[in-house]
């Protein structure tokens, strides 16, 4: 039972990946000139979900996905042309399949509303397929059946044949009439699957008139059949005669290429030749069983005949398809493919590994400290090598949790499409930097803030097409998601070319709410960042998307909780850009250890530029703001004494050290007593009771067992540059 649950869990996980792929392909479908490749990929995804669902007897999934397959099959064959309405319908169907998969995992059934919605979607699919698309019914040629009995018809593989139809060869068993079979009933059923364009009636075993038996069947057919059905469905028309009669179904040329494409796209599994042909649809399970039985009979007669030879000679599959299947089988056996093998690991196990590596780092630091205290050179060298190996293990473990942000960005394709449709806007989503990697934990927690920013840009930023044209902009708005690495951090940008932030309107609203005093002077940057204040909103009316003032402050709070920052830059009339800066990982970082009095602090190493000694006469204090600054090789550098900031007391040493740090292009100094050096920092979060402390982002444990606090450099930089005089001094550089 446990093993079955594991396999079912794997199916659920793979189905969700396929559904994500379907959504991405559907959203890009409208913008592609050649849609065939995407349609084939979407069909394969739906077919895989349905086929695997059948193994677990998930009838609801099979039934609904079969309806989706019907529409996709028509679209693949060009019988129904893709359009935005069909894309919306298929996206809704994808959502319903996703809901069915969720219920499989939760072991629950559909609610009444969801069940009715599923039935409505399925009914819509049937109507669309029957009508030939959303543009109305297509002309049917079912009435053009020709019964030819006097002239032979060329076989499908003849160069004289211009059509691209199925060729069905039937030879009835002599006792077919005695078994109650009606050949005309089979032909009538075939017309429900497609069009019989021509038929040749044959009498291969017809004896002389004197020897004829009226109860014996001497019939045979060669049928030229036009249909979009698959081989298995066509074979179903002959279910009642298959065991006794001879039925061979040859695919049209277009289907041959489809079979070959499907064979080439099959996963690298250890499959037998017959299984490959069945999975591609070129051979039905019944035909495979027939061929294997024939092979066994020949083997009993000491005749060795390859299975491929049997299926081709008996007209069960074309030679090109067989060659493709053999090539695929050889490829699998020889291991020529270099597909990356992956192992699915539970996220909790991965987190446990990271925690253990963190404890290993702390234990290694403690052991290294004791080794240095002993003065034993051999022991020190041994621990130096051990420390290097621990660093490599740390980096490798952290890399396991690194994922590309592109998957998160792609989810917003659907959001942008749906929101744009709801707002009556035309919006293009541009994604860059999708390959940028960051910690999976950060990715999971950044999705909601990004959702707020994307919806906010579409609602408040990008204008309607008519307004954009009045402002001499192109009707289609542009929303961009970008990501890149910068100084050991990841920067995520959400920008648009819309109306931008209205400085006057924001300032007026802030004054009404008491956030800004009358007469208080603020620059554009400060005013723009007022939108992150709780309850702040400039929307004139409350809508489903915005207007309640509960979005942007949540964005800032969630990002701050990730030790990140968010800011906005905007030019009124020309758009806005929200920039989020986050650490690459929340677990372990390289730090720079310093001491003040008896306390230890860690500064993220990626933000440290240099260290300088603070000598007498090299520093000054502004009398108005009490802001300290030094002359750094002719550059005015504001700095702050951490001893004073954290009220650590004690006496300032004669020789202070200033650590120059950088954030967002701004350089400031942090004054400390002693420089210890680089330190592998395992980040431990602060408890809620310490969450209000400014300038501290976390803690870590030193090798001595003491606790060191991790400095929040972005917060300290903003604190140093907060006054107007400090900014004025800095602007003179």
């Amino acid at each position: 039972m446990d093993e079955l649950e594991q396999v079912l869990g794997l199916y659920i996980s793979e189905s969700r990946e396929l559904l994500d792929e379907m959504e991405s392909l559907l959203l890009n479908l409208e913008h592609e000139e050649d849609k065939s490749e995407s349609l084939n990929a979407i069909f394969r995804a739906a077919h895989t979900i349905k086929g695997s669902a059948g193994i677990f007897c998930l009838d609801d999934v099979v039934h609904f996905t079969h309806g989706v397959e019907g529409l996709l099959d028509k679209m693949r064959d060009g019988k129904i042309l893709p359009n935005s309405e069909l894309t919306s319908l298929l996206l809704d169907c994808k959502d319903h399949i996703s809901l069915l998969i969720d219920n499989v995992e939760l072991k629950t059934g559909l609610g009444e509303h969801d069940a009715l919605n599923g039935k409505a979607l399925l009914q819509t699919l049937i109507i669309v397929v029957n009508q030939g698309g959303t543009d109305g019914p297509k002309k049917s040629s079912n009435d053009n059946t020709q019964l030819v009995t006097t002239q032979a018809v060329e076989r499908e593989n003849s160069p004289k044949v211009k059509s691209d139809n199925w060729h069905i060869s039937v030879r009835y068993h002599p006792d077919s009439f005695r078994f109650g079979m009606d050949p005309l009933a089979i032909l009538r059923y075939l017309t429900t699957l497609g069009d019989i364009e021509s038929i040749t009636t044959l009498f291969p075993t017809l004896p002389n008139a004197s020897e004829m038996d009226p109860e014996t069947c001497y019939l045979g057919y060669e049928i030229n059949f036009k249909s979009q059905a698959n081989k298995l469905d066509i074979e179903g028309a002959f279910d009642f005669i298959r065991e006794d009669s001879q039925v061979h179904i040859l695919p049209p040329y277009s289907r041959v290429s489809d079979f070959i494409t499907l064979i080439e796209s099959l996963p690298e599994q250890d499959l037998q030749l017959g299984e490959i042909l069945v999975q591609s649809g070129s051979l039905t399970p019944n035909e495979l069983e027939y061929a294997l039985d024939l092979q066994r009979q020949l083997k009993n007669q000491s005749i060795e005949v390859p299975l491929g030879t049997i299926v081709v000679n008996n007209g069960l599959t074309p030679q090109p398809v067989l060659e493709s299947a053999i090539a695929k089988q050889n490829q699998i056996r020889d291991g020529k493919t270099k597909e990356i093998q992956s192992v699915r690991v539970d996220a909790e196990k991965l987190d446990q590994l990271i925690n253990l590596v963190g404890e290993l780092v702390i234990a290694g630091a403690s052991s290294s400290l004791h080794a240095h205290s002993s003065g034993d050179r051999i022991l020190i060298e041994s621990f130096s090598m051990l420390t290097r190996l621990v660093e490599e293990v740390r980096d490798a473990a952290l890399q396991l949790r690194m994922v590309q942000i592109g998957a998160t960005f792609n989810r917003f394709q659907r959001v942008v499409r749906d929101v744009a449709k709801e707002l009556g806007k035309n919006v293009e989503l541009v994604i860059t930097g999708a390959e940028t990697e960051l910690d999976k934990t950060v990715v999971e927690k950044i999705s909601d803030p990004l959702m707020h920013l994307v919806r906010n840009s579409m609602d408040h930023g990008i204008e309607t097409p008519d307004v954009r044209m009045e402002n001499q902009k192109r009707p289609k708005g542009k929303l961009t998601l970008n990501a890149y690495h910068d100084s050991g951090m990841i920067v995520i940008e959400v920008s648009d070319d819309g109306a931008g932030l209205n400085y006057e309107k924001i300032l007026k609203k802030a004054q009404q709410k008491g956030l800004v005093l009358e007469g208080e002077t603020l620059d554009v940057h400060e005013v723009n960042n007022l939108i992150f204040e709780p309850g702040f909103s400039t929307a004139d009316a409350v809508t489903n998307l915005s207007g309640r003032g509960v979005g942007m402050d949540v964005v800032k709070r969630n990002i701050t909780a990730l030790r990140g920052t968010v800011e906005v830059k905007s030019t009124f009339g020309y758009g806005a850009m929200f920039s989020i800066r986050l650490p690459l990982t929340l677990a372990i970082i390289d730090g720079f250890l310093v001491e003040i009095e008896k306390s230890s602090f860690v500064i993220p190493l990626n933000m440290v530029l240099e260290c300088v000694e603070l000598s007498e006469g090299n520093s000054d204090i502004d009398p108005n703001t009490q802001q300290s600054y030094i002359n750094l090789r002719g550059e005015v550098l504001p700095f702050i004494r951490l001893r004073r900031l954290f009220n650590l007391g004690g006496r300032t040493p004669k020789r202070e050290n200033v650590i120059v740090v950088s954030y967002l292009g701004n350089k400031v100094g942090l004054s400390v007593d002693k420089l210890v050096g680089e330190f592998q920092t395992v980040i431990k979060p602060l408890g809620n009771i310490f969450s209000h402390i400014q300038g501290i982002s976390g803690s870590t444990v030193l090798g001595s067992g003491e606790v060191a606090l991790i400095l929040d450099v972005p917060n300290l930089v903003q604190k140093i540059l907060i006054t107007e005089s400090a900014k004025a001094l800095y602007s003179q550089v």
Side-chain angles (χ1 to χ4, degrees):
M1 184 65 181
D2 291 339
E3 184 176 352
L4 181 61
E5 289 292 332
Q6 291 178 0
V7 177
L8 180 60
L10 182 61
Y11 164 72
I12 292 170
S13 178
E14 291 181 345
S15 294
R16 286 173 175 158
E17 291 179 3
L18 290 169
L19 289 169
D20 288 341
E21 180 186 357
M22 282 179 63
E23 180 173 283
S24 178
L25 290 168
L26 285 169
L27 291 170
N28 293 326
L29 191 64
E30 299 176 8
H31 310 294
E32 295 177 346
E33 293 185 5
D34 184 6
K35 307 178 189 298
S36 58
E37 185 175 344
S38 292
L39 285 172
N40 285 331
I42 296 169
F43 179 85
R44 285 195 297 270
H47 184 72
T48 301
I49 293 173
K50 186 189 86 169
S52 300
I55 298 175
F56 299 100
C57 299
L58 305 177
D59 295 337
D60 290 344
V61 179
V62 172
H63 182 62
F64 186 82
T65 313
H66 181 73
V68 177
E69 266 190 333
L71 174 57
L72 289 171
D73 199 36
K74 293 280 187 180
M75 294 172 69
R76 283 197 312 160
D77 294 335
K79 299 301 181 182
I80 296 179
L81 299 180
N83 56 40
S84 59
E85 293 180 13
L86 289 179
T87 300
S88 297
L89 174 61
L90 288 170
L91 284 170
D92 290 339
C93 291
K94 173 262 169 188
D95 290 341
H96 188 72
I97 297 173
S98 181
L99 183 62
L100 291 172
I101 297 297
D102 289 343
N103 285 338
V104 171
E105 183 179 33
L106 298 173
K107 298 181 180 179
T108 59
L110 287 176
E112 183 178 355
H113 173 75
D114 293 330
L116 291 175
N117 183 57
K119 290 180 180 178
L121 285 173
L122 198 56
Q123 186 63 33
T124 303
L125 288 170
I126 295 172
I127 293 173
V128 170
V129 170
N130 289 339
Q131 289 186 348
T134 55
D135 297 328
K138 302 291 186 295
K139 183 178 179 181
S140 173
S141 57
N142 283 345
D143 298 332
N144 297 330
T145 302
Q146 302 175 20
L147 298 179
V148 181
T149 58
T150 58
Q151 183 178 356
V153 176
E154 297 285 352
R155 293 186 60 82
E156 186 66 22
N157 58 356
S158 169
K160 298 180 182 179
V161 180
K162 303 289 185 181
S163 64
D164 188 19
N165 301 328
W166 294 86
H167 187 90
I168 306 173
S169 178
V170 184
R171 300 295 184 269
Y172 286 99
H173 189 274
D175 292 331
S176 293
F177 290 153
R178 298 184 180 92
F179 298 154
M181 295 296 103
D182 181 2
L184 290 179
I186 295 175
L187 295 179
R188 283 193 294 269
Y189 179 77
L190 273 180
T191 60
T192 65
L193 301 176
D195 303 332
I196 299 178
E197 296 210 331
S198 62
I199 182 172
T200 301
T201 305
L202 304 175
F203 304 96
T205 59
L206 185 66
N208 295 326
S210 59
E211 299 175 358
M212 287 180 59
D213 182 353
E215 294 184 353
T216 299
C217 182
Y218 305 105
L219 284 175
Y221 292 140
E222 295 290 334
I223 304 172
N224 194 20
F225 187 54
K226 183 177 182 180
S227 173
Q228 301 304 318
N230 58 41
K231 190 175 185 181
L232 189 61
D233 291 339
I234 296 174
E235 186 193 53
F238 302 94
D239 273 345
F240 296 107
I241 67 168
R242 188 180 58 246
E243 293 184 3
D244 303 308
S245 304
Q246 297 179 21
V247 180
H248 302 306
I249 305 171
L250 295 178
Y253 294 132
S254 61
R255 287 301 177 98
V256 170
S257 62
D258 286 346
F259 293 151
I260 293 175
T261 300
L262 286 172
I263 289 173
E264 292 174 349
S265 64
L266 286 175
E268 303 299 321
Q269 300 175 357
D270 188 15
L271 299 175
Q272 299 296 322
L273 180 64
E275 293 173 327
I276 294 175
L277 292 171
V278 170
Q279 287 201 16
S280 70
S282 172
L283 200 68
T284 67
N286 293 320
E287 289 176 332
L288 175 61
E289 186 60 36
Y290 167 78
L292 290 173
D293 184 60
L294 186 57
Q295 187 183 43
R296 285 191 291 267
Q297 293 178 23
L298 293 172
K299 190 173 183 179
N300 292 335
Q301 301 174 21
S302 300
I303 302 175
E304 296 287 344
V305 181
L307 180 65
T309 302
I310 293 176
V311 296
V312 170
N313 290 347
N314 283 270
L316 302 180
T317 199
Q319 182 68 31
V321 176
L322 173 66
E323 292 173 356
S324 177
I326 293 174
K328 182 69 175 183
Q329 188 181 42
N330 291 335
Q331 187 182 55
I332 296 172
R333 288 177 177 175
D334 297 341
K336 292 180 180 179
T337 60
K338 297 182 179 180
E339 181 181 354
I340 299 176
Q341 299 296 321
S342 60
V343 178
R344 295 181 182 273
V345 180
D346 189 270
E348 292 183 0
K349 293 182 179 179
L350 203 55
D351 291 340
Q352 184 181 11
L353 172 63
I354 300 297
N355 291 334
L356 289 174
V357 171
E359 296 301 324
L360 177 62
V361 169
I362 294 173
S366 177
S367 300
S368 179
L369 181 64
H370 292 310
H372 281 82
S373 299
S374 69
D376 188 331
R377 291 184 178 180
I378 297 178
L379 185 60
I380 292 174
E381 290 179 2
S382 298
F383 270 102
S384 177
M385 181 179 294
L386 178 62
T387 300
R388 180 177 59 80
L389 292 174
V390 169
E391 289 179 358
E392 293 180 2
V393 171
R394 175 203 65 180
D395 294 339
L398 290 177
Q399 193 63 34
L400 292 175
R401 251 185 7 187
M402 289 294 183
V403 296
Q404 292 186 352
I405 199 171
T408 300
F409 280 177
N410 287 330
R411 293 173 188 168
F412 292 103
Q413 295 273 12
R414 177 74 179 277
V415 175
V416 170
R417 185 182 189 275
D418 293 345
V419 173
K421 187 176 181 180
E422 180 180 347
L423 296 174
K425 298 179 179 180
N426 193 353
V427 183
E428 172 190 11
L429 178 63
V430 178
I431 294 175
T432 56
E435 69 284 353
T436 306
E437 291 187 336
L438 73 164
D439 196 305
K440 184 177 185 295
T441 305
V442 180
V443 170
E444 293 171 349
K445 295 180 179 179
I446 198 61
S447 294
D448 285 343
L450 283 179
M451 179 70 74
H452 277 294
L453 293 177
V454 167
R455 294 168 74 93
N456 182 76
S457 293
M458 297 189 65
D459 193 18
H460 290 297
I462 298 177
E463 313 94 330
T464 55
D466 53 343
V467 174
R468 292 180 62 86
M469 294 181 69
E470 290 177 4
N471 295 330
Q472 297 182 345
K473 295 181 179 181
R474 62 171 189 158
K476 178 181 286 188
K478 183 179 179 181
L479 178 64
T480 303
L481 293 176
N482 181 37
Y484 59 92
H485 289 154
D486 180 39
S487 301
M489 302 189 77
I490 183 172
V491 181
I492 303 173
E493 296 175 342
V494 181
S495 59
D496 64 73
D497 63 350
L501 298 181
N502 190 328
Y503 172 90
E504 299 293 339
K505 190 173 183 179
I506 294 174
L507 183 58
K508 183 178 179 181
K509 196 76 173 182
Q511 290 173 344
Q512 291 175 357
K513 288 184 169 290
L515 299 174
V516 177
L517 300 177
E518 290 289 343
E520 186 176 354
T521 304
L522 299 176
D523 63 18
V524 175
H525 178 75
E526 290 172 325
V527 171
N528 286 342
N529 280 283
L530 288 173
I531 65 174
F532 295 109
E533 294 297 324
F536 188 88
S537 175
T538 58
D540 298 323
V542 174
T543 67
N544 291 333
L545 294 176
S546 62
R548 296 178 174 86
V550 293
M552 302 308 290
D553 64 312
V554 173
V555 169
K556 184 174 183 179
R557 185 166 64 248
N558 290 347
I559 292 173
T560 302
L562 295 173
R563 305 199 323 273
T565 61
V566 57
E567 66 170 12
V568 58
K569 296 179 181 179
S570 175
T571 301
F572 183 57
Y574 295 95
M577 181 174 70
F578 293 85
S579 296
I580 302 172
R581 297 181 70 89
L582 296 165
L584 292 179
T585 177
L586 302 179
I588 305 173
I589 62 170
D590 286 321
F592 190 77
L593 186 63
V594 299
E595 290 182 359
I596 306 170
E597 196 59 28
K598 296 181 180 180
S599 300
S600 299
F601 296 89
V602 175
I603 304 172
L605 188 61
N606 56 64
M607 295 184 177
V608 176
L609 297 180
E610 60 178 312
C611 300
V612 296
E613 185 176 318
L614 183 60
S615 58
E616 294 183 8
N618 190 35
S619 65
D620 201 354
I621 299 178
D622 188 282
N624 297 320
T625 63
Q626 299 299 308
Q627 173 66 59
S628 301
Y629 59 92
I630 63 172
N631 182 355
L632 181 65
R633 298 185 295 276
E635 178 181 1
V636 177
L637 182 76
F639 76 95
I640 190 170
R641 285 182 167 87
L642 296 180
R643 174 191 298 275
R644 184 181 303 167
L645 176 65
F646 296 127
N647 296 319
L648 297 177
R651 298 181 59 183
T652 302
K654 293 182 179 180
R655 299 178 62 182
E656 291 182 84
N657 295 282
V658 174
I659 302 173
V660 182
V661 297
S662 174
Y663 176 71
L664 291 179
N666 297 321
K667 290 195 296 184
V668 300
L670 305 176
S671 174
V672 300
D673 293 353
K674 182 180 178 182
L675 307 178
V676 179
E678 294 184 21
F679 177 72
Q680 292 187 64
T681 306
V682 180
I683 301 173
K684 302 292 185 180
L686 294 172
N688 293 331
I689 192 172
F690 301 109
S691 60
H692 66 284
I693 298 178
Q694 298 293 318
I696 302 297
S697 62
S699 63
T700 187
V701 180
L702 303 179
S704 61
E706 298 178 359
V707 174
L709 297 177
I710 302 171
L711 297 182
D712 185 353
V713 173
N715 181 274
L716 293 174
V717 170
Q718 293 176 0
K719 187 177 185 64
I720 295 173
L721 300 178
I722 196 65
T723 62
E724 289 295 329
S725 68
K727 292 179 183 177
L729 285 171
Y730 192 74
S731 65
Q732 295 173 11
V733 178

